Amino acid sequence: TNCTNYEEVVALNDQAGGIVGGIAGGKISGCYNYGNVSGGLYVGGIIGQTSGTTTITNCYVKANTTARSNYNSWGGCNGGIVGYAPSGTLTITSCAFEGSLLYSESGSQTRQGAMLGYTNGATTKITDCYANATVNVTVSTSNVYGLCTGTATVTDCVFVTNSTKRCKGTSFTNWLITSDSRPVPAGLTWLATGGTKVTSSSQITTLGYTLVS
């Protein structure tokens, strides 16, 4: 809880995270990472790999993450908040990622997302999160427009992937609009000093974000 990393994180093998490499269930809250993260198979701005019941709340990443494409037959999992969630329950709430998802080799680069790199079994919920990310994958509904590869429930999220503004949700009542017209999750109040509370999705779309289903 309430920890900050400013240093670059480099892992030679599987798990690399700006705060935690790997975790089998737990709670991470109010943590910030400003250090670039690179590793092999599972790389995340906050956590490299998670299983069990894991909740991540009010966390912020401003850094780049880099995975290896040829680490195995299907390439590394690369996420702005979490790299890989193979099982359990993962809940990401009121978090933000600003940076690029990179790969150190040519090869498969499909398992990536500004919030979660890849899940193939975890029950995943992503709510009230923000991303401004460069992703090396074609964004589509199958990867929630660059937020997550795999199945996840995404609610009231605002994101810019490869310079395209989108939002997904209905109410956005846990959001603030800053004085310079930026949407920010209310849980990250330090990013939105003096922000105005959102009461309708139209306040988000007025800022140029396209509402997607």
mmCIF file of all heavy atoms in Angstrom, residues 156 158 167 169-173 175 177 183 197-211:
data_model
loop_
_atom_site.group_PDB
_atom_site.id
_atom_site.type_symbol
_atom_site.label_atom_id
_atom_site.label_comp_id
_atom_site.label_asym_id
_atom_site.label_seq_id
_atom_site.Cartn_x
_atom_site.Cartn_y
_atom_site.Cartn_z
ATOM 1 N N ASP A 156 -16.917 1.729 -17.514
ATOM 2 C CA ASP A 156 -16.604 3.145 -17.279
ATOM 3 C C ASP A 156 -15.102 3.426 -17.347
ATOM 4 O O ASP A 156 -14.503 3.978 -16.415
ATOM 5 C CB ASP A 156 -17.165 3.598 -15.929
ATOM 6 C CG ASP A 156 -18.686 3.673 -15.930
ATOM 7 O OD1 ASP A 156 -19.284 3.508 -17.010
ATOM 8 O OD2 ASP A 156 -19.270 3.892 -14.864
ATOM 9 N N VAL A 158 -11.877 5.125 -19.726
ATOM 10 C CA VAL A 158 -11.550 6.143 -20.725
ATOM 11 C C VAL A 158 -10.127 5.885 -21.177
ATOM 12 O O VAL A 158 -9.235 5.700 -20.342
ATOM 13 C CB VAL A 158 -11.677 7.566 -20.134
ATOM 14 C CG1 VAL A 158 -11.338 8.608 -21.185
ATOM 15 C CG2 VAL A 158 -13.089 7.795 -19.593
ATOM 16 N N CYS A 167 -14.082 5.670 -25.096
ATOM 17 C CA CYS A 167 -14.542 5.395 -23.744
ATOM 18 C C CYS A 167 -15.559 4.267 -23.812
ATOM 19 O O CYS A 167 -16.215 4.064 -24.838
ATOM 20 C CB CYS A 167 -15.127 6.642 -23.082
ATOM 21 S SG CYS A 167 -16.507 7.410 -23.964
ATOM 22 N N GLY A 169 -18.572 2.448 -21.351
ATOM 23 C CA GLY A 169 -19.318 2.454 -20.112
ATOM 24 C C GLY A 169 -20.629 3.193 -20.258
ATOM 25 O O GLY A 169 -21.084 3.484 -21.372
ATOM 26 N N THR A 170 -21.230 3.536 -19.109
ATOM 27 C CA THR A 170 -22.540 4.184 -19.142
ATOM 28 C C THR A 170 -22.598 5.454 -18.301
ATOM 29 O O THR A 170 -23.034 6.499 -18.775
ATOM 30 C CB THR A 170 -23.630 3.214 -18.655
ATOM 31 O OG1 THR A 170 -23.268 2.700 -17.355
ATOM 32 C CG2 THR A 170 -23.792 2.041 -19.620
ATOM 33 N N SER A 171 -22.143 5.404 -17.048
ATOM 34 C CA SER A 171 -22.378 6.538 -16.156
ATOM 35 C C SER A 171 -21.146 7.409 -15.912
ATOM 36 O O SER A 171 -21.248 8.625 -15.855
ATOM 37 C CB SER A 171 -22.907 6.039 -14.811
ATOM 38 O OG SER A 171 -21.941 5.227 -14.152
ATOM 39 N N PHE A 172 -19.988 6.794 -15.692
ATOM 40 C CA PHE A 172 -18.732 7.513 -15.419
ATOM 41 C C PHE A 172 -18.853 8.428 -14.190
ATOM 42 O O PHE A 172 -18.210 9.465 -14.109
ATOM 43 C CB PHE A 172 -18.292 8.335 -16.642
ATOM 44 C CG PHE A 172 -18.021 7.496 -17.860
ATOM 45 C CD1 PHE A 172 -19.030 7.280 -18.795
ATOM 46 C CD2 PHE A 172 -16.782 6.918 -18.066
ATOM 47 C CE1 PHE A 172 -18.789 6.489 -19.921
ATOM 48 C CE2 PHE A 172 -16.533 6.128 -19.188
ATOM 49 C CZ PHE A 172 -17.537 5.915 -20.113
ATOM 50 N N THR A 173 -19.662 8.040 -13.227
ATOM 51 C CA THR A 173 -19.885 8.890 -12.052
ATOM 52 C C THR A 173 -18.703 8.891 -11.086
ATOM 53 O O THR A 173 -18.674 9.713 -10.157
ATOM 54 C CB THR A 173 -21.153 8.449 -11.297
ATOM 55 O OG1 THR A 173 -21.075 7.052 -10.992
ATOM 56 C CG2 THR A 173 -22.390 8.721 -12.136
ATOM 57 N N TRP A 175 -15.689 9.661 -12.003
ATOM 58 C CA TRP A 175 -14.680 10.378 -12.769
ATOM 59 C C TRP A 175 -14.738 11.876 -12.477
ATOM 60 O O TRP A 175 -15.764 12.403 -12.051
ATOM 61 C CB TRP A 175 -14.895 10.151 -14.274
ATOM 62 C CG TRP A 175 -14.437 8.797 -14.717
ATOM 63 C CD1 TRP A 175 -15.093 7.621 -14.542
ATOM 64 C CD2 TRP A 175 -13.207 8.483 -15.369
ATOM 65 N NE1 TRP A 175 -14.353 6.589 -15.062
ATOM 66 C CE2 TRP A 175 -13.186 7.090 -15.577
ATOM 67 C CE3 TRP A 175 -12.135 9.245 -15.814
ATOM 68 C CZ2 TRP A 175 -12.135 6.443 -16.199
ATOM 69 C CZ3 TRP A 175 -11.076 8.597 -16.443
ATOM 70 C CH2 TRP A 175 -11.085 7.219 -16.625
ATOM 71 N N ILE A 177 -13.367 15.768 -14.259
ATOM 72 C CA ILE A 177 -12.811 16.488 -15.398
ATOM 73 C C ILE A 177 -11.922 17.599 -14.848
ATOM 74 O O ILE A 177 -12.380 18.439 -14.066
ATOM 75 C CB ILE A 177 -13.911 17.104 -16.285
ATOM 76 C CG1 ILE A 177 -14.864 16.014 -16.793
ATOM 77 C CG2 ILE A 177 -13.287 17.855 -17.458
ATOM 78 C CD1 ILE A 177 -14.236 15.011 -17.703
ATOM 79 N N PRO A 183 -10.094 13.841 -18.492
ATOM 80 C CA PRO A 183 -10.841 12.945 -17.609
ATOM 81 C C PRO A 183 -9.876 12.149 -16.725
ATOM 82 O O PRO A 183 -8.863 11.629 -17.206
ATOM 83 C CB PRO A 183 -11.576 12.022 -18.592
ATOM 84 C CG PRO A 183 -10.725 12.024 -19.824
ATOM 85 C CD PRO A 183 -10.042 13.358 -19.879
ATOM 86 N N LYS A 197 -16.831 16.894 -10.923
ATOM 87 C CA LYS A 197 -17.364 15.538 -10.934
ATOM 88 C C LYS A 197 -18.210 15.289 -12.176
ATOM 89 O O LYS A 197 -19.025 16.125 -12.572
ATOM 90 C CB LYS A 197 -18.210 15.301 -9.677
ATOM 91 C CG LYS A 197 -18.730 13.877 -9.552
ATOM 92 C CD LYS A 197 -19.424 13.662 -8.225
ATOM 93 C CE LYS A 197 -20.032 12.268 -8.144
ATOM 94 N NZ LYS A 197 -19.021 11.195 -8.305
ATOM 95 N N VAL A 198 -18.021 14.122 -12.772
ATOM 96 C CA VAL A 198 -18.798 13.727 -13.948
ATOM 97 C C VAL A 198 -20.139 13.157 -13.499
ATOM 98 O O VAL A 198 -20.200 12.343 -12.571
ATOM 99 C CB VAL A 198 -18.027 12.689 -14.780
ATOM 100 C CG1 VAL A 198 -18.892 12.145 -15.914
ATOM 101 C CG2 VAL A 198 -16.756 13.302 -15.341
ATOM 102 N N THR A 199 -21.200 13.557 -14.147
ATOM 103 C CA THR A 199 -22.533 13.048 -13.840
ATOM 104 C C THR A 199 -23.178 12.364 -15.038
ATOM 105 O O THR A 199 -24.235 11.751 -14.905
ATOM 106 C CB THR A 199 -23.451 14.188 -13.360
ATOM 107 O OG1 THR A 199 -23.521 15.200 -14.376
ATOM 108 C CG2 THR A 199 -22.923 14.798 -12.066
ATOM 109 N N SER A 200 -22.542 12.460 -16.206
ATOM 110 C CA SER A 200 -23.118 11.871 -17.411
ATOM 111 C C SER A 200 -22.002 11.523 -18.390
ATOM 112 O O SER A 200 -20.973 12.206 -18.449
ATOM 113 C CB SER A 200 -24.095 12.846 -18.059
ATOM 114 O OG SER A 200 -24.471 12.426 -19.354
ATOM 115 N N SER A 201 -22.215 10.458 -19.172
ATOM 116 C CA SER A 201 -21.222 10.064 -20.169
ATOM 117 C C SER A 201 -21.007 11.147 -21.217
ATOM 118 O O SER A 201 -19.951 11.216 -21.847
ATOM 119 C CB SER A 201 -21.632 8.759 -20.851
ATOM 120 O OG SER A 201 -22.870 8.915 -21.536
ATOM 121 N N SER A 202 -22.005 12.014 -21.397
ATOM 122 C CA SER A 202 -21.881 13.076 -22.399
ATOM 123 C C SER A 202 -20.742 14.039 -22.059
ATOM 124 O O SER A 202 -20.172 14.664 -22.957
ATOM 125 C CB SER A 202 -23.189 13.838 -22.538
ATOM 126 O OG SER A 202 -23.527 14.497 -21.327
ATOM 127 N N GLN A 203 -20.394 14.157 -20.777
ATOM 128 C CA GLN A 203 -19.280 15.011 -20.387
ATOM 129 C C GLN A 203 -17.947 14.440 -20.867
ATOM 130 O O GLN A 203 -16.998 15.184 -21.088
ATOM 131 C CB GLN A 203 -19.256 15.189 -18.869
ATOM 132 C CG GLN A 203 -20.408 16.018 -18.331
ATOM 133 C CD GLN A 203 -20.448 16.014 -16.821
ATOM 134 O OE1 GLN A 203 -21.179 15.230 -16.221
ATOM 135 N NE2 GLN A 203 -19.658 16.871 -16.205
ATOM 136 N N ILE A 204 -17.893 13.126 -21.035
ATOM 137 C CA ILE A 204 -16.691 12.481 -21.568
ATOM 138 C C ILE A 204 -16.662 12.593 -23.087
ATOM 139 O O ILE A 204 -15.647 12.971 -23.676
ATOM 140 C CB ILE A 204 -16.629 11.001 -21.148
ATOM 141 C CG1 ILE A 204 -16.686 10.848 -19.616
ATOM 142 C CG2 ILE A 204 -15.367 10.346 -21.698
ATOM 143 C CD1 ILE A 204 -15.498 11.388 -18.875
ATOM 144 N N THR A 205 -17.765 12.294 -23.729
ATOM 145 C CA THR A 205 -17.782 12.312 -25.193
ATOM 146 C C THR A 205 -17.613 13.730 -25.737
ATOM 147 O O THR A 205 -17.078 13.912 -26.836
ATOM 148 C CB THR A 205 -19.095 11.705 -25.730
ATOM 149 O OG1 THR A 205 -20.221 12.408 -25.174
ATOM 150 C CG2 THR A 205 -19.198 10.231 -25.344
ATOM 151 N N THR A 206 -18.040 14.725 -24.982
ATOM 152 C CA THR A 206 -17.851 16.113 -25.403
ATOM 153 C C THR A 206 -16.370 16.452 -25.553
ATOM 154 O O THR A 206 -15.992 17.336 -26.332
ATOM 155 C CB THR A 206 -18.510 17.075 -24.393
ATOM 156 O OG1 THR A 206 -19.921 16.828 -24.392
ATOM 157 C CG2 THR A 206 -18.267 18.530 -24.756
ATOM 158 N N LEU A 207 -15.509 15.724 -24.848
ATOM 159 C CA LEU A 207 -14.065 15.958 -24.906
ATOM 160 C C LEU A 207 -13.408 15.265 -26.102
ATOM 161 O O LEU A 207 -12.187 15.294 -26.243
ATOM 162 C CB LEU A 207 -13.409 15.473 -23.609
ATOM 163 C CG LEU A 207 -13.879 16.156 -22.323
ATOM 164 C CD1 LEU A 207 -13.209 15.517 -21.108
ATOM 165 C CD2 LEU A 207 -13.597 17.652 -22.371
ATOM 166 N N GLY A 208 -14.225 14.626 -26.952
ATOM 167 C CA GLY A 208 -13.697 13.998 -28.156
ATOM 168 C C GLY A 208 -13.508 12.497 -28.055
ATOM 169 O O GLY A 208 -12.922 11.878 -28.960
ATOM 170 N N TYR A 209 -13.987 11.880 -26.985
ATOM 171 C CA TYR A 209 -13.891 10.418 -26.821
ATOM 172 C C TYR A 209 -15.114 9.744 -27.437
ATOM 173 O O TYR A 209 -16.253 10.133 -27.150
ATOM 174 C CB TYR A 209 -13.777 10.045 -25.342
ATOM 175 C CG TYR A 209 -12.482 10.492 -24.712
ATOM 176 C CD1 TYR A 209 -12.327 11.772 -24.210
ATOM 177 C CD2 TYR A 209 -11.393 9.626 -24.637
ATOM 178 C CE1 TYR A 209 -11.131 12.192 -23.643
ATOM 179 C CE2 TYR A 209 -10.202 10.016 -24.060
ATOM 180 C CZ TYR A 209 -10.069 11.314 -23.576
ATOM 181 O OH TYR A 209 -8.879 11.709 -23.021
ATOM 182 N N THR A 210 -14.879 8.731 -28.262
ATOM 183 C CA THR A 210 -15.959 7.991 -28.893
ATOM 184 C C THR A 210 -16.425 6.882 -27.977
ATOM 185 O O THR A 210 -15.620 6.073 -27.507
ATOM 186 C CB THR A 210 -15.504 7.386 -30.226
ATOM 187 O OG1 THR A 210 -15.082 8.435 -31.107
ATOM 188 C CG2 THR A 210 -16.630 6.605 -30.881
ATOM 189 N N LEU A 211 -17.730 6.821 -27.713
ATOM 190 C CA LEU A 211 -18.289 5.780 -26.866
ATOM 191 C C LEU A 211 -18.404 4.486 -27.653
ATOM 192 O O LEU A 211 -19.020 4.443 -28.715
ATOM 193 C CB LEU A 211 -19.656 6.221 -26.344
ATOM 194 C CG LEU A 211 -20.321 5.347 -25.281
ATOM 195 C CD1 LEU A 211 -19.511 5.371 -23.985
ATOM 196 C CD2 LEU A 211 -21.755 5.826 -25.025
#
